[in-house]
C-alpha cells in the first residue's frame, strides 16, 4: 500500500498571507505527481501534473515544486485570497506500468478576509 | 464545468439493493476512472477503463463492477449494498490512459444506503 501524506491537515490564514504545504510520497518508482484543488460542494480540479525531479510549475499565484529523490512536493500560494479556500490534494503515480493515482487526504485551507 | 457528467446526483437506497451510476467523459477523452470518497477517507481509486477495455483495478469490491461502452460512457454497478457503501462516487476522464495528463472530475454521485 502506497503512503501519500499531506501536511498540515488544515491551515487558516489571513487574506494576503503566503502559505505552503507539503505532499510526501515514496521516493522510489516515481512516475508522476498530480495536484488538485477541491472546493466545497464542487469536484476536484487539476492544478499541475509534475513528472521530472526539479520540476517547477506555476499558475497565477499558485506554484509547485518537486523533489523525487527525497519524495516530496511543495505547493505555494502567494498572497492568499478568500477564493483560494479549498482542500488541496496531491496524488502519486507509481512507475508500475499502471496509471493509477494514490491520493493523499489533502490540506484544507481557509483564507479569512 | 469540467465537461464530465454524472447521473444521478443523489441516490438513496436500502441495504441489499443494486444501483447503477453513469458517467459520460469529456468529449475526446478515452479514459474513465471511478473513485470512492467515504467519510474520513481520501479519494480511493476503484477502476479505470481505456477505450472500452479495463486498464487498471484498485480497491474495488467484488460486489462492484463497471464497464465502458462503445460511445465511451461508463457505468459503475454496485450490488448487495451495505451501509458502508454510502459515499460520494466520482468519475474522472482523461485524454489517454497514462497519468501524464490531468484528470477531469465529474460532479459526483452521492449514494446513501439506509
Amino acid at each position: 500500500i502506497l503512503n501519500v501524506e499531506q501536511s498540515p491537515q488544515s491551515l487558516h490564514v489571513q487574506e494576503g498571507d503566503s502559505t505552503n504545504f507539503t505532499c510526501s510520497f515514496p521516493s522510489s518508482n516515481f512516475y508522476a505527481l498530480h495536484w488538485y484543488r477541491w472546493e466545497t460542494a464542487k469536484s476536484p480540479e487539476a492544478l499541475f501534473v509534475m513528472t521530472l525531479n526539479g520540476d517547477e510549475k506555476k499558475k497565477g499565484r499558485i506554484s509547485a515544486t518537486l523533489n523525487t529523490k527525497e519524495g516530496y512536493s511543495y505547493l505555494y500560494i502567494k498572497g492568499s485570497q478568500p477564493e483560494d479556500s479549498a482542500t488541496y490534494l496531491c496524488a502519486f503515480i507509481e512507475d508500475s506500468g499502471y496509471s493509477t493515482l494514490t491520493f493523499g487526504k489533502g490540506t484544507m485551507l481557509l483564507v479569512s478576509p | 464545468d469540467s465537461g464530465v457528467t454524472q447521473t444521478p446526483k443523489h441516490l438513496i437506497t436500502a441495504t441489499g439493493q443494486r444501483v447503477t451510476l453513469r458517467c459520460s467523459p469529456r468529449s475526446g477523452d478515452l479514459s474513465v476512472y471511478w473513485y470512492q470518497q467515504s467519510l474520513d477517507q481520501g479519494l480511493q481509486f476503484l477502476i479505470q477503463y481505456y477505450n472500452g477495455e479495463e486498464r487498471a483495478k484498485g480497491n474495488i469490491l467484488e460486489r462492484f463492477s463497471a464497464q465502458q461502452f462503445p460511445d465511451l460512457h461508463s457505468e459503475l454497478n454496485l450490488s448487495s449494498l451495505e451501509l458502508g457503501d454510502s459515499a460520494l462516487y466520482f468519475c474522472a476522464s482523461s485524454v489517454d490512459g497514462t497519468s501524464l495528463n490531468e484528470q477531469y472530475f465529474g460532479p459526483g454521485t452521492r449514494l446513501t444506503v439506509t
Side-chain angles (χ1 to χ4, degrees):
Chain A
I1 296 177
L2 296 172
N3 201 22
V4 180
E5 300 279 344
Q6 289 191 247
S7 62
Q9 258 188 324
S10 62
L11 201 49
H12 184 185
V13 302
Q14 297 298 311
E15 183 175 354
D17 289 349
S18 292
T19 187
N20 66 85
F21 15 95
T22 306
C23 172
S24 301
F25 50 84
S27 57
S28 57
N29 295 331
F30 176 88
Y31 186 68
L33 187 88
H34 291 211
W35 280 100
Y36 290 85
R37 182 184 131 98
W38 191 358
E39 288 181 69
T40 304
K42 294 189 178 179
S43 49
E45 179 189 339
L47 287 172
F48 306 115
V49 177
M50 310 184 81
T51 57
L52 298 173
N53 186 43
D55 240 357
E56 287 191 33
K57 302 267 183 172
K58 189 172 180 186
K59 190 182 278 193
R61 294 178 291 98
I62 304 177
S63 60
T65 61
L66 178 67
N67 184 324
T68 61
K69 295 187 189 317
E70 295 183 39
Y72 64 84
S73 176
Y74 292 142
L75 191 79
Y76 300 91
I77 303 179
K78 187 177 174 184
S80 302
Q81 299 295 309
E83 57 265 29
D84 295 328
S85 298
T87 295
Y88 292 83
L89 299 171
C90 67
F92 170 76
I93 302 96
E94 186 182 32
D95 185 13
S96 64
Y98 298 100
S99 58
T100 60
L101 275 62
T102 301
F103 280 87
K105 290 192 176 180
T107 292
M108 188 162 57
L109 174 67
L110 177 62
V111 183
S112 296
Chain B
D1 183 358
S2 67
V4 178
T5 60
Q6 285 187 252
T7 56
K9 277 195 172 164
H10 302 277
L11 200 46
I12 301 174
T13 189
T15 53
Q17 295 299 305
R18 173 190 165 97
V19 297
T20 297
L21 312 184
R22 184 188 165 105
C23 167
S24 292
R26 278 189 336 154
S27 176
D29 283 0
L30 297 177
S31 202
V32 168
Y33 306 78
W34 285 98
Y35 294 93
Q36 180 191 56
Q37 166 92 32
S38 303
L39 214 58
D40 295 333
Q41 294 287 322
L43 277 169
Q44 300 288 317
F45 167 72
L46 295 177
I47 197 162
Q48 177 200 3
Y49 279 83
Y50 174 73
N51 206 19
E53 301 285 327
E54 182 183 303
R55 174 64 71 92
K57 239 177 181 173
N59 298 323
I60 187 166
L61 299 171
E62 283 194 17
R63 301 183 284 108
F64 295 1
S65 65
Q67 53 184 324
Q68 186 179 29
F69 294 86
D71 67 351
L72 301 177
H73 91 270
S74 178
E75 292 181 358
L76 179 67
N77 300 295
L78 315 176
S79 61
S80 302
L81 284 167
E82 301 175 0
L83 294 177
D85 297 327
S86 296
L88 189 52
Y89 291 85
F90 283 108
C91 160
S93 72
S94 69
V95 64
D96 60 23
T98 74
S99 289
L100 300 179
N101 294 291
E102 55 214 2
Q103 294 185 10
Y104 294 86
F105 282 76
T109 292
R110 182 166 293 283
L111 173 66
T112 303
V113 182
T114 62

